[in-house]
Amino acid sequence: MISYTLTPWDSSVFKVKTAEFFFKETTSYSYEEIEARLEEIEKELIQENVEFCYTRISSDDIRLRKLLFEKRFYFAESSLEISKLKIQKFEPKKLPPVSLHLAKKEDISEVKSIAVSAFDFSRFHEDPYIPLEAAQLRYDNWINDLVKQGAIIHLAKVSDQIVGINIQKIDSLKKEASLILCGCKKGAELYVLSLWNEILSYNKEVGIRKISTLISTSNTNMVNIYAHFDFKINNN
């Protein structure tokens, strides 16, 4: 029903011990049962000296929202889970060409630089209690973790000029892809439609049938880009 994991990659940024909650199938339990389980976990986390906890829940789960507010959690970010089906039927749009190149070990510093400087939206970027520098450092650490996880990391180029990145994971059995961090570097925003055109084309080439991602509702530019490519909202 409720579980948690310690997040040492965030602890190194915020300089306090951190953890993330996960709520699953809570509709099968009463409010009192959920509250009791959360209180049990809170006691465990206090014993482990955890000071900062965070989570994501569906906005239509009124019970969880009420419970978390009562536990002094606060709202920081609203996000949308979106997806696009039938990738094999995708027809690339006529746009200036952008090419994707698998990042090498020596390219990771450039990937980090783009992620830190070009991405302004996340649950930590939008949290009014977290300094921007900490949110940016978390992106730097996140890239390290994604490399260890074996995520697919691309540099996007126009000729020899780097214009952006695409980081994603693929479930080969389900033929589904999850976009994790994609976008143009500062100053190269005019290639954004071309980048997504190429990301969709790449996934079509490798046999993907469905692409999903999570975006902040505050990032209206990205909401419009995904709408342009006919992504649909799954949940928020």
Side-chain angles (χ1 to χ4, degrees):
M1 173 179 38
I2 308 176
S3 60
Y4 72 88
T5 183
L6 299 178
T7 53
W9 49 90
D10 287 335
S11 298
S12 66
V13 173
F14 301 123
K15 309 306 179 186
V16 297
K17 206 166 183 181
T18 61
E20 181 170 9
F21 288 118
F22 300 96
F23 295 85
K24 294 183 179 180
E25 300 178 357
T26 53
T27 54
S28 303
Y29 298 87
S30 70
Y31 182 89
E32 291 73 21
E33 289 173 317
I34 298 171
E35 183 177 29
R37 174 57 180 150
L38 185 56
E39 288 177 352
E40 289 177 5
I41 291 178
E42 284 184 322
K43 290 176 182 178
E44 292 179 34
L45 293 177
I46 289 171
Q47 290 177 347
E48 296 204 48
N49 298 313
V50 171
E51 295 184 39
F52 180 27
C53 301
Y54 41 87
T55 187
R56 273 199 173 100
I57 63 171
S58 175
S59 63
D60 61 5
D61 195 328
I62 302 298
R63 294 192 312 168
L64 277 183
R65 287 168 58 190
K66 179 176 182 292
L67 176 58
L68 291 174
F69 283 141
E70 289 175 348
K71 295 295 181 182
R72 301 184 69 183
F73 281 73
Y74 60 87
F75 169 84
E77 177 218 22
S78 177
S79 58
L80 295 174
E81 181 184 296
I82 60 175
S83 64
K84 181 177 176 65
L85 303 174
K86 301 180 180 178
I87 301 299
Q88 292 304 304
K89 293 185 177 181
F90 171 70
E91 292 298 330
K93 301 177 185 293
K94 293 182 179 179
L95 292 166
V98 165
S99 57
L100 296 180
H101 304 264
L102 285 173
K104 301 176 183 177
K105 185 177 180 180
E106 58 267 27
D107 296 323
I108 298 304
S109 60
E110 177 69 17
V111 174
K112 287 183 175 184
S113 177
I114 294 172
V116 168
S117 63
F119 294 89
D120 302 321
F121 297 90
S122 76
R123 55 179 156 183
F124 296 122
H125 281 81
E126 297 176 54
D127 190 322
Y129 298 102
I130 292 178
L132 175 61
E133 295 78 13
Q136 290 175 328
L137 180 57
R138 185 180 183 269
Y139 265 24
D140 187 290
N141 288 354
W142 191 16
I143 300 299
N144 289 334
D145 196 51
L146 289 169
V147 170
K148 292 177 183 177
Q149 293 175 28
I152 296 168
I153 302 178
H154 289 122
L155 286 174
K157 296 183 178 182
V158 173
S159 298
D160 291 330
Q161 177 189 0
I162 297 172
V163 298
I165 58 174
N166 170 52
I167 304 179
Q168 65 174 74
K169 291 183 178 180
I170 285 178
D171 186 324
S172 300
L173 292 178
K174 293 182 178 179
K175 299 188 181 299
E176 295 180 1
S178 175
L179 302 185
I180 300 171
L181 204 56
C182 315
C184 289
K185 66 187 295 185
K186 293 288 187 184
E189 291 86 355
L190 69 134
Y191 296 110
V192 67
L193 291 179
S194 295
L195 174 57
W196 258 261
N197 202 44
E198 184 59 28
I199 290 172
L200 288 168
S201 296
Y202 164 77
N203 280 282
K204 178 180 180 179
E205 290 172 9
V206 298
I208 296 303
R209 296 174 183 168
K210 176 183 177 182
I211 297 177
S212 300
T213 192
L214 193 72
I215 57 174
S216 168
T217 57
S218 298
N219 193 351
T220 53
N221 287 335
M222 288 310 309
V223 172
N224 289 330
I225 289 166
Y226 280 108
H228 179 79
F229 286 99
D230 298 319
F231 277 72
K232 306 300 181 186
I233 297 172
N234 300 335
N235 204 349
N236 63 326

